[in-house]
Amino acid sequence: MGKAVDILVIDDEQVVREGVSRVCEVAGLTVDAAADAANGLECLRKGHYRLVLCDIMLPDRDGFQILKETREAGISTPVIMITGCSTLQNAVQALKDGAVDFIPKPFTVDELDSGIQRGLRLQQILEGKEGADRGRACPKGFFRLGDLSWVQIEPNGVGAIGVTDCFMRT
């Protein structure tokens, strides 16, 4: 196994990579950064990370493709999607594809820190085998949003969202 680092941030904006790095370093977390999907995926293949923060819009492929490729490679590191294109469709798609959280840009230090802490707590739970309910089926009539939540769109357009016990523990 490669080196152990807490966070991998994959974003083509240098200011975002540097900002995330500063917030993480203040919290005592180690950070690697990649400016594109190819380098980010290479980091994931060679290293061990507790959490990934990944932009949706990257120059060489989108964050949804990164989610797919990491899962196909058997990499189970939790991924938080960050994006300046924060639509409901992107949020739902990110969660459906396996992201554990979705943080719209621009984000505050508190929003970023809160998401990171939840993601790290999830990784801790999963490594401790406490997350046995992670893959359980969602209720009948609902649609899965990744491994930890589900949604049902009611006739009036309102969405009812539910989460697993594992998510609540994070």
Side-chain angles (χ1 to χ4, degrees):
M1 182 66 62
K3 63 181 178 165
V5 176
D6 294 311
I7 309 287
L8 172 63
V9 59
I10 306 170
D11 198 301
D12 58 327
E13 296 178 66
Q14 184 174 350
V15 67
V16 173
R17 292 191 311 271
E18 290 173 356
V20 170
S21 294
R22 275 189 242 120
V23 168
C24 291
E25 289 166 2
V26 166
L29 300 168
T30 54
V31 180
D32 277 348
D36 57 44
N39 287 324
L41 288 166
E42 186 65 22
C43 288
L44 282 167
R45 287 184 192 100
K46 289 183 176 180
H48 174 75
Y49 298 91
R50 295 173 55 206
L51 183 66
V52 175
L53 287 104
C54 182
D55 192 7
I56 289 179
M57 308 274 293
L58 294 164
D60 51 341
R61 62 185 77 125
D62 66 40
F64 302 119
Q65 291 169 302
I66 292 174
L67 278 172
K68 181 181 179 197
E69 290 181 44
T70 58
R71 298 309 175 239
E72 287 174 352
I75 300 168
S76 61
T77 305
V79 176
I80 294 175
M81 300 305 286
I82 54 177
T83 185
C85 186
S86 57
T87 64
L88 178 60
Q89 180 180 3
N90 278 343
V92 170
Q93 186 67 46
L95 295 172
K96 183 179 175 187
D97 288 353
V100 299
D101 204 349
F102 182 88
I103 302 174
K105 295 178 192 174
F107 42 77
T108 66
V109 170
D110 288 340
E111 289 168 334
L112 179 62
D113 186 55
S114 177
I116 288 170
Q117 294 309 316
R118 283 191 312 274
L120 292 174
R121 175 67 178 134
L122 174 61
Q123 181 64 15
Q124 184 180 33
I125 288 169
L126 295 176
E127 285 179 352
K129 307 300 183 223
E130 297 177 52
D133 66 340
R134 184 175 188 209
R136 79 176 187 199
C138 64
K140 187 176 180 176
F142 284 65
F143 298 98
R144 286 192 78 63
L145 294 175
D147 293 330
L148 301 174
S149 58
W150 48 82
V151 66
Q152 179 183 44
I153 306 300
E154 298 174 1
N156 63 359
V158 173
I161 298 175
V163 295
T164 66
D165 292 338
C166 180
F167 180 86
M168 291 302 292
R169 288 194 305 266
T170 66

